[in-house]
Structures are given as C-alpha cells and as structure tokens.
Amino acid sequence: MSVRMPEPDQALLARRDEIVRALRAIVPGEGVIATERGMRPYETDGLTAYRQLPLAVVLPETTAQVAAILRYCYAETIPVVPRGAGTSLSGGALPLADGVLLGMAKFNRIRDIDFANRVAVVEPGVTNLAVSKAVEHAGFYYAPDPSSQIACTIGGNVAENSGGVHCLKYGMTSNNVLGCEMVLMTGEVVRLGGKHLDAGGYDLIGVVGGSEGLLGVVTEVTVRILKKPETARAVLVGFPSSEDAGACVARIIGAGIIPAGMEMMDRPAIHATEAFVHADYPLDVEALLIVELDGPQAEVDHLIATVSEIARGCGAMNLRVSTSEAERLLFWAGRKAAFPAVGRISPDYLCMDGTIPRAKLPLVLARMKDMSAKYGLRVANVFHAGDGNLHPLILYDANEPGELARAEAFGADILKLCVEVGGVLTGEHGVGIEKRDLMPVMFSEVDLAHQQRLKCAFDDKGLLNPGKVFPVLNRCAELGRMHVSGGNLPFPDIPRF
Amino acid sequence: MTVLSPRNPDEVEQAVLWAAGAGKALEVIGRGTKRSLGRPAQWDATLDLSALTGVTLYEPDELVLSAKAGTPLAEIEALCAANGQELAFEPMDYGPLLGVAAGRGTIGGALAVNASGPRRIKAGAARDHLLGLTAVSGRGETFKTGGRVVKNVTGYDLCKLMAGSWGTLAAMTEVTVKTLPRAETEASVVLAGLAATVAGDAMAAAMGSAYDVSGAAHLPGSVAGRISADLGGRSVTVLRLEGVGPSVVHRRDGLCALLRPFGTASVIEESLSRPLWRAVRDSLPFAAGGPSGERVLWRLSTAPSGGAGLVERIGRAVDAEFMQDWAGGLVWVAVAPTQDGGTAAVRATIAACGGHATLVRAPAALRAAVAVFEPQTGNLTALTKRIKDGFDPKGVLNPGRMWAGI
Ligand SMILES: Cc1cc2nc3c(=O)[nH]c(=O)nc-3n(C[C@H](O)[C@H](O)[C@H](O)COP(=O)(O)OP(=O)(O)OC[C@H]3O[C@@H](n4cnc5c(N)ncnc54)[C@H](O)[C@@H]3O)c2cc1C
C-alpha cells in the first residue's frame, strides 16, 4: 500500500473514552459505536485495499445532532470523516485512526416530492435508486445512475459528483442538484439554493458537488426529477478494432446525435461479462459498442436508423437493434455487471477512472497493452465512450507479494497517460486517497493552493476528511498570507474609451 | 481613468500585482457590455481584457472549444453554427437591456455572469458548460482548474465558483466550454389568453411530460405585442420543442393534445419560433430603447410553481410589467421609475417566496442606495467573505460590485 495517511495524533487516541462519552451525550443509545466488532463494517469503502478502524463511529439522525457533533469536534480539534454507503472507489470514506467516522445512513427519508416543480427533497442517506423508485408511480425518475445505485447514497453522489451511463445526455450529479442544507465544521448550518435555478451569489452548491466530504456535511439535498422518456432502444455493435469503434463514436457525435448512453468494452471485458451474464455478446470482436437512444418513438426510430448506418460504414462486424424492452436490458446486463464479472476472473481488481479526449482512445489502449506486458498484469476496459471516461480494470492478486504495489504503479501510469494526452485523473470516482499523490501531475502548486483556499473558507482547521484529495494540506494561515510590493504601472496604459 | 489593456496573460498577472502592491481597485471588463450592472463602486483603474482574443482549440467531434476570455461571443457562436453546433446554454445578451448594441459581449463575460437563456430549464446555465479555465486571482497568481473533457471530478470544481462570481475572485484569461449539436429544427406551441396562474399550470403540465420541452415562457398581451404584432392583444404561453424533424412533429401534436384542457393551442414554425425565443432570451420587450426603457428592471429566480403568485404579489404593490421564462421560475419585472424602483416589494416578495433577485437596470443613484445582488444573510455572509479573502485578499478585483466589502 503506497498511500500514507496522516500520522494519528497520540493525544487524541489517549482521549478516546472521553470523546466517546461526549459523542454519546449528543447521540444517545446505539448511535455511537465504539467496539472493535461494531466498527469493523466501517473500516473500508469500495477501495478495499485500504483499511483503518476509526476512533469511534457516530450515526446521527438530525441536523441538530450533526451540528453538535461537528461543533464539539471543531472545539476539540478532532478530525471527522463523513460516510454514506461506503461504496467510494477512491477511498474517500476511509476512516482515520484518530478521527470520528460520521455515518449518514440514518438520514434516509424523502422529505418532499414536488411534481409541479419537478424536484425531490431528500436526506443524504437515501440511496440513489430510492429517489427514482419514489417518483416512478408518476412516470418520473432521477437521471444520474451510477452502477452502484442500489447501494450508494445521494450524499455520497453529491460529494463525488457521481455519473452514470446516462450522464452523457443528462449530466452528472452536479447538473441535477438545485439545493442543499449543509453543516460546516464549526457546526454552522448553511442553506444553499432551493427549488429555484442558480445562485443569488457565488455558486456554492456548484463547489460542494465533487468536494469529497472536505467542505461540509450535507444533511439535505434538492434534486431535479425528470419525466421518463416515451421509449428507449439500444444498438449493440461489434467491431474488429477499437479504432473502428472509436471512429464510429466520433461520427455519431459528428452527426449531431447525443445518445442517452454510449458504452464500449474491449475484448477481455466482453469475454468476462459474457461468461458471467450470458448477454449473447459476440466473442469474435475486439470492441463492442452499446448505443442507447431515448425519447419519443418517432425520434428513436429515426436515430436508430442513422446510428446503424454510421456503424455499418465504420466496419461493424455485427449489429443488433433491441426489439423489446427485455432485449434492451439484456444488452445492458453485461455492461452493468462488468465489475463483478471481472471480479470473478481475478481475485482482486483495481478500477481506474481517467478521462481522455475521445480521439486518443486507440493510442491510450495501445499504450495500456504495453504497460500490461511490462507489469505482467491483465487489464480489461469498460469505457463511457461518449464522454471519454475510461474504466480500466487492473487484475491482481493481493495474496501474491508485491502484486498490489505493481497494480497501483500500473494504475498510476495509466492516469499519467490520461493527463499526458489532454485528459484528467478522474472522471467520476473522485481523488480520495487513491489519486491524491498524483494531483501534482495535473495541477501546479499554485493551482492546488487556490483549491485549498476554498477549503480554508469552509474548514479553517482542516478537520473534515483530512488526508484526502490533497497530497499536502497547507495551513490556512500560510495560504492566506500575501506578499506584495508596490510598483509602477506594469505596461503603458492605452486609452480605449 | 487609467485603463490597463494587457495583451497576454502575463500582463494580466502584472496588472493585478501592480494593483495589489499599490493598493488600487480594478474594474474588470471584457468589452464592457454589462458595466452598468452592479453597484457603482469606486475603482482606480480598469482592467480591460478585450485584447485577449482568439479561439485556441475547437474540435467539434469532441464537443469542445477553448478561447481567450476576451473573444467576442458572437464570433464563437458563428464558428459553432458553421459546424452545426452551438453553446447549448443559450447565453443571453444583456446589451439591449443596458443600452449597448447587441452582439458585443465576450465569452469571458458571459461565463463570469453565469449567463443562460430559455434552455436553462433543460440544458443548464454557463456553469454547466464551463469545462476548464485559466485565471489570475486577486493574488496576482495564474491558476488553472478543470480541463477539456466533459467528465472530470479532479479537485474542486472551481469552474462553478468562477461562473457567476462577476469577476470578483479572479480574471479569467482563457476558457474551455462544451459545444453541442444545434437542433435540426424547432417549433413552438402557443396557448393564448391564459391568466398567469393558469399559464403556470399549463407550463408545469408541459414540463412534466415526456415531450422534452426546451423553453416555456408566459408573456402578458402588452409584452407579447412588442415581440410580434401577430401575438399582440392577449397573453401568450409559449412552449418550445427542438430536435430532428419527425420528433418535433410528433411532440408538437402530443403537446397540443396534452394541453387541450387549457385551450386550443396553435403552432409557430421555426422561422418565427427562433426570433421569438431570442427576444425572450434577451428580454427584448424591456430593451433600453423600447417603450419600457425608462423602467427599473429586475430579474428574479424562484420555484416555477411560485412564479405566478410572485407576479401577483409584486403587481399589487407597485406599477410593474412582467415576463416569465423558465416555466414560470424566471421573472422579469419592469417597475415604473419611482423612488425605490420596487426594491421593497421585490425584496419582500423574494424573501417570502424563496429564490433571488438582481437589479439589472437602474440609475446609478438607485444602484448605490439599494442591494443590486441578492443580499447575503446569516452564515452565508461570512462564508462569502472568506472565499473572497482567499482569492482576492487585497480586494483588487471588482471590489464592491456585487456587495459592499466583497
Ligand atoms: C460496483 C460499483 C460501481 C460503481 N459505479 C459507479 C458509477 O457508475 N459512477 C460513479 O460515479 N461512481 C460509481 N461507483 C462509486 C461510488 O458508488 C460513488 O462514488 C458513490 O457516489 C459513493 O456514494 P456512497 O454513499 O457510497 O458514499 P461513500 O463511499 O460513503 O463516501 C464517498 C465520499 O462522500 C463523502 N460523503 C458521503 N456522504 C456525505 C455527506 N452526507 N456529506 C458530505 N460528504 C459525504 C465521504 O466522505 C466520501 O468522501 C461505483 C462503486 C462501486 C462499488
């Protein structure tokens, strides 16, 4: 394990009993967990290579309790790690030995469904899928659909700005959130946005989205809900090479079509998923593309025809158009089960999450093949082809000495490559601890300092989720200082008006 | 007043460092089309970014475009149109409202004010389309955030912070935005003669349908007549449908059927629909040169279902004209230029209904006397101030433009 967490504060560890007592005074009964056995389920998240028991687990039920916990921890300088369902793939919810783990699972009520304004107001512990379930009787749904949607929470989605296969057309979480209630580390409660559009001042909901639990604890979220499209159909296309598949994606978009989803899998991913779910995927192809079109029947039929024609022109080896809802779901079954399918053919895997400009796909896949040979580890690729978000799954065995370290080095090389070709380190899973030390690959010190100044405005003591996102967390006092020297006008002024 | 016109990002940095060192306050502008929007603060010099021009990257297949911040928006829109694309957030042009010729703004200005248009309800605002940027903060340091790809959660989303900060945190020097295919065609469905409350229900029904409505506005008769003589006399409630031909036809018919309980709808074809929505986008019925040009103009955002009630409440208190976009949630209020320009009525109503209000057009004396942007309350005041202090500790960039002390 190559990522090092901040050294725990021995003084805090020594005060554990006292801290637990103080938390119990705020959240009575079973809301505070301090036994090793009770805390085990919280020791890791979706990045299972890293484990750490927290100082204590607290499960508040009200905003007032969250505020009291944070106020206490702020006064006593105790770190706090917020947690939703713990499905983060980047280690965002990994506990700290000297920190309180703040589990938000009991915030699980839907507070308001407002069809006239097309919003739902939910507590952060409500699962992603539960929002859609709560409004489906009226034909509505919540658009962002991470594959983990049965389990992951809206609070976690906001913190990670999560996406899903449909975010190509409908946007990520941030594009679908209108308001929230949030508790700052000091215990102050702020309300941002509401059922209206845009902010009256700085777009703080915008920065809370994707802030990975470092700015505040979200206690309520207002999300947009949409009417379900009349119909949806998918095309399943096999290609002899990923270049052909990539060219097809570019041409579809070049033709002015933004599909509801456009996903690609490479040969290893196709074979792993086919063996697992028997979705009847072709096994003689190098790349498989699923293109979904949704909307009114007339539009979908029209676009399916156009997409099919483009695909044939790009050298498609075989092409199937779903003729029923059952068939459409079968096309997706393999893709949606890609992670567990790969889990079946390898004891462990690391899921990477870089984004690249789409045109660089063939280059990136070729370089990845070389790296796979170099590290002696297999890799399977699933790819949100429409928006360039790659999910290389690196297969390894944690029981083989050195394999995890090799897998991590392989992953780091892939992400550096993504940045090198004009992309980014993470498209939807977050930086967490996993990509923390790679941040300087993408950002200069000045870039990171500006991000941290935002952090300082929300959390001046750096107590919320420390050790995540930033390789080095500078002190706010240092970041705030500014040395200036008086001077002359830097260049001649040119009168213009 | 001193005008600093940097020719490159380095000179922007130098200009800000000079101001910070000399204790000067800079007014940051692109081509200055929105200069009269904001509190009339005291500035020592103008930082004019209009010399930073040029599209630096445009890859239509990748749906991405980068440009220097001072590039005219019209140039970018023309380039996109030539490639069958557009900026889907449909940035409004404040020019005509503020007595400036149309089509003169810059891309940086449009993003800094988080501009949007009727399609806001479906496609989002500038904030949702700004992928990356380079900027010089009030510390005189150049930083970048975001990237050139659509899906990116690497680090804080400072793009969203910059969109809507009105140049008070940093001066953007280069920006990257998402471009999207322009709809093949469009049509609008129109209901005539509805009262505002009924129109609100009709728009909610349309927005709650699967017909993918990309614009929903309600214009009282007097206001509608200024856009087109054909529309005059009675109020019109207009719903826009965009997409490929067969889809627009199908949805148009479906929407007309759905709205039957509200009356018999008529249809406006593309050639009339496009200019109509442009007029709604730019709030042209209230243009500076038009019949309401002397009126004080407010822009309010509230929950769509509360729009009609808000209109009624303000209408009872002051002499005002209205226009509603965003399915009722965006309310333009043109108030007779009496003493407070409707401030008390607008602020009290927003406080009661929720949302925010911006004083878009008013004489400088009024803008100096009352809040122009939504007043910050409670913990938000201090949080906003701390963010400002982090990015611009010396108060160099547009100090006082949004709020005193920010
Ligand atoms: C099989 C699998 C498939 C996945 N598929 C996708 C996918 O398709 N797309 C995608 O984007 N992600 C995917 N993920 C990643 C993960 O599900 C998302 O990041 C999800 O949003 C995390 O939600 P959670 O409730 O589990 O949050 P957690 O893992 O508990 O926490 C994630 C982060 O959010 C913070 N946090 C949680 N709740 C709050 C709160 N109330 N206030 C403040 N901060 C909070 C935590 O501190 C942490 O930093 C997948 C994960 C798995 C295991």
Side-chain angles (χ1 to χ4, degrees):
Chain A
M1 287 184 289
S2 57
V3 179
R4 295 195 44 190
M5 295 305 286
E7 282 302 320
D9 177 347
Q10 294 302 323
L12 284 179
L13 298 181
R15 288 175 54 204
R16 184 165 179 270
D17 291 347
E18 170 206 329
I19 292 168
V20 168
R21 267 198 308 279
L23 292 173
R24 289 222 156 99
I26 299 169
V27 182
E30 307 196 324
V32 177
I33 304 171
T35 62
E36 191 194 316
R37 226 176 121 223
M39 296 197 299
R40 270 292 163 219
Y42 298 92
E43 71 178 350
T44 187
D45 58 15
L47 186 68
T48 50
Y50 291 82
R51 283 165 202 277
Q52 174 63 57
L53 283 178
L55 196 65
V57 174
V58 55
L59 307 172
E61 287 180 60
T62 64
T63 300
Q65 287 176 347
V66 173
I69 294 164
L70 294 184
R71 205 176 305 121
Y72 166 74
C73 290
Y74 184 77
E76 302 292 326
T77 316
I78 305 166
V80 175
V81 177
R83 180 184 174 101
T87 65
S88 167
L89 292 169
S90 55
L94 180 76
L96 294 166
D98 60 350
V100 169
L101 187 98
L102 186 68
M104 296 300 287
K106 290 190 175 173
F107 277 77
N108 59 3
R109 287 178 316 140
I110 291 175
R111 291 187 177 167
D112 180 19
I113 295 172
D114 179 348
F115 290 115
N117 287 309
R118 299 161 299 284
V119 297
V121 182
V122 306
E123 294 182 350
V126 171
T127 63
N128 174 291
L129 191 61
V131 179
S132 285
K133 289 269 180 228
V135 297
E136 76 179 351
H137 64 277
F140 281 76
Y141 75 115
Y142 174 58
D145 57 343
S147 309
S148 50
Q149 67 183 157
I150 315 177
C152 67
T153 67
I154 291 293
N157 291 175
V158 170
E160 302 286 12
N161 189 14
S162 301
V165 296
H166 288 100
C167 67
L168 177 59
K169 182 168 173 185
Y170 297 101
M172 312 263 291
T173 301
S174 279
N175 309 114
N176 290 278
V177 168
L178 296 184
C180 73
E181 177 191 75
M182 188 171 76
V183 186
L184 303 185
M185 190 62 217
T186 50
E188 295 166 272
V189 181
V190 291
R191 278 209 155 262
L192 306 172
K195 292 180 178 179
H196 57 275
L197 292 170
D198 296 331
Y202 293 154
D203 184 1
L204 301 185
I205 305 180
V207 294
V208 168
S211 64
E212 305 197 23
L214 271 74
L215 297 185
V217 176
V218 174
T219 46
E220 183 190 282
V221 187
T222 302
V223 298
R224 303 173 76 136
I225 50 172
L226 297 175
K227 186 76 171 195
K228 275 196 195 139
E230 267 178 27
T231 186
R233 287 173 80 190
V235 199
L236 185 73
V237 204
F239 290 95
S241 73
S242 59
E243 280 88 343
D244 293 326
C248 180
V249 170
R251 275 207 230 160
I252 290 171
I253 286 176
I257 301 170
I258 302 294
M262 185 144 58
E263 297 288 308
M264 197 192 292
M265 286 187 268
D266 71 356
R267 190 181 189 91
I270 300 166
H271 283 250
T273 53
E274 181 56 22
F276 183 37
V277 295
H278 311 294
D280 208 8
Y281 287 167
L283 295 174
D284 57 343
V285 300
E286 284 300 318
L288 192 65
L289 202 60
I290 306 174
V291 186
E292 179 159 297
L293 284 312
D294 70 4
Q297 191 80 45
E299 175 175 330
V300 171
D301 291 349
H302 177 86
L303 294 179
I304 286 271
T306 313
V307 166
S308 302
E309 201 183 302
I310 292 173
R312 287 198 193 91
C314 291
M317 292 167 69
N318 44 45
L319 183 150
R320 275 158 53 202
V321 177
S322 69
T323 50
S324 66
E325 186 60 7
E327 195 175 14
R328 182 184 74 87
L329 293 175
L330 186 65
F331 286 2
W332 281 113
R335 167 62 187 88
K336 292 225 165 177
F339 294 5
V342 166
R344 258 171 35 114
I345 61 167
S346 170
D348 301 283
Y349 67 87
L350 273 185
C351 172
M352 310 313 292
D353 174 46
T355 306
I356 56 170
R358 268 185 313 263
K360 304 289 185 189
L361 179 69
L363 171 80
V364 169
L365 288 180
R367 292 266 297 272
M368 234 189 267
K369 214 175 232 172
D370 296 344
M371 291 177 197
S372 169
K374 174 181 151 196
Y375 286 102
L377 295 172
R378 289 177 296 163
V379 61
N381 267 291
V382 295
F383 182 43
H384 300 301
D387 42 36
N389 188 196
L390 291 170
H391 290 320
L393 303 167
I394 301 171
L395 316 191
Y396 74 99
D397 182 350
N399 289 325
E400 289 293 321
E403 271 210 7
L404 171 60
R406 270 208 333 272
E408 286 187 325
F410 184 178
D413 277 358
I414 292 175
L415 296 183
K416 284 179 197 158
L417 174 61
C418 290
V419 175
E420 183 192 314
V421 301
V424 300
L425 296 171
T426 171
E428 59 181 14
H429 294 168
V431 176
I433 56 165
E434 188 209 9
K435 293 148 219 137
R436 186 192 72 189
D437 295 344
L438 290 173
M439 287 289 270
V441 175
M442 199 170 136
F443 295 114
S444 72
E445 253 177 59
V446 173
D447 300 339
L448 289 172
H450 277 84
Q451 294 191 24
Q452 289 189 22
R453 291 193 181 99
L454 182 72
K455 162 81 169 165
C456 290
F458 283 83
D459 175 18
D460 66 333
K461 290 192 187 174
L463 292 174
L464 259 181
N465 223 356
K468 318 287 169 72
V469 182
F470 298 107
V472 186
L473 201 57
N474 294 302
R475 287 180 167 281
C476 291
E478 263 160 53
L479 287 164
R481 229 167 272 147
M482 182 178 171
H483 305 282
V484 290
S485 50
N488 296 324
L489 269 177
F491 46 90
D493 53 323
I494 307 156
R496 295 183 42 105
F497 294 101
Chain B
M1 193 165 63
T2 310
V3 178
L4 298 168
S5 300
R7 289 153 297 185
N8 55 54
D10 276 350
E11 290 187 349
V12 178
E13 213 175 87
Q14 288 171 39
V16 174
L17 279 176
W18 162 75
K24 305 284 189 196
L26 298 176
E27 175 197 25
V28 186
I29 61 166
R31 290 165 99 193
T33 60
K34 296 176 266 292
R35 279 183 118 176
S36 65
L37 204 171
R39 298 175 70 249
Q42 290 296 311
W43 291 299
D44 303 302
T46 294
L47 180 61
D48 170 0
L49 301 171
S50 65
L52 304 178
T53 58
V55 170
T56 50
L57 173 143
Y58 180 34
E59 294 179 7
D61 282 0
E62 300 271 346
L63 307 175
V64 62
L65 180 147
S66 304
K68 302 277 179 54
T71 310
L73 187 59
E75 188 182 317
I76 289 171
E77 287 179 324
L79 178 64
C80 290
N83 286 275
Q85 296 192 334
E86 65 185 355
L87 300 177
F89 59 100
E90 216 179 358
M92 78 166 288
D93 182 353
Y94 278 93
L97 289 181
L98 301 176
V100 178
R104 283 194 41 86
T106 64
I107 181 78
L111 296 169
V113 307
N114 190 31
S116 63
R119 213 182 283 117
R120 174 70 183 88
I121 49 177
K122 173 171 182 260
R127 73 188 284 274
D128 300 291
H129 296 256
L130 178 56
L131 301 178
L133 59 90
T134 307
V136 177
S137 70
R139 314 180 71 91
E141 293 174 337
T142 301
F143 69 95
K144 64 178 182 313
T145 182
R148 53 157 292 189
V149 292
V150 184
K151 257 177 115 178
N152 178 11
V153 295
T154 321
Y156 294 136
D157 195 348
L158 297 184
C159 289
K160 296 228 166 48
L161 186 64
M162 292 302 135
S165 63
W166 290 78
T168 58
L169 298 173
M172 290 185 273
T173 53
E174 187 167 357
V175 296
T176 299
V177 291
K178 178 156 73 167
T179 61
L180 282 170
R182 197 174 141 94
E184 192 180 287
T185 187
E186 72 172 65
S188 290
V189 167
V190 183
L191 290 164
L194 301 187
T197 45
V198 183
D201 293 344
M203 289 189 284
M207 292 308 299
S209 77
Y211 297 126
D212 210 7
V213 173
S214 70
H218 176 70
L219 290 64
S222 58
V223 168
R226 293 179 197 169
I227 293 179
S228 157
D230 301 342
L231 297 175
R234 303 162 75 194
S235 79
V236 290
T237 308
V238 198
L239 303 151
R240 179 172 63 179
L241 302 165
E242 297 174 292
V244 292
S247 169
V248 170
V249 169
H250 168 87
R251 286 183 285 146
R252 178 197 72 194
D253 295 345
L255 195 57
C256 286
L258 177 83
L259 295 175
R260 190 70 30 85
F262 298 96
T264 304
S266 56
V267 172
I268 299 181
E269 295 304 336
E270 180 174 1
S271 58
L272 291 174
S273 180
R274 281 199 193 271
L276 168 68
W277 284 103
R278 168 144 308 210
V280 171
R281 184 194 78 177
D282 295 345
S283 194
L284 287 187
F286 303 127
S292 296
E294 297 300 318
R295 287 181 171 246
V296 167
L297 190 63
W298 293 87
R299 181 177 184 268
L300 279 59
S301 175
T302 193
S305 69
L310 181 146
V311 163
E312 204 204 304
R313 208 175 147 133
I314 297 177
R316 267 200 315 258
V318 288
D319 168 8
E321 299 170 352
F322 300 92
M323 182 170 85
Q324 286 175 272
D325 193 4
W326 297 359
L330 177 72
V331 188
W332 291 97
V333 185
V335 184
T338 51
Q339 274 171 348
D340 84 336
T343 304
V346 166
R347 291 283 170 222
T349 304
I350 274 292
C353 300
H356 53 87
T358 308
L359 179 54
V360 168
R361 182 180 65 211
L366 182 60
R367 284 183 286 124
V370 306
V372 170
F373 288 84
E374 186 62 28
Q376 304 282 285
T377 52
N379 301 328
L380 222 47
T381 318
L383 184 56
T384 300
K385 174 78 175 133
R386 291 197 297 271
I387 293 171
K388 169 76 172 178
D389 288 346
F391 282 80
D392 182 19
K394 304 276 176 196
V396 168
L397 303 174
N398 276 347
R401 180 163 187 180
M402 293 183 82
W403 304 282
I406 297 291

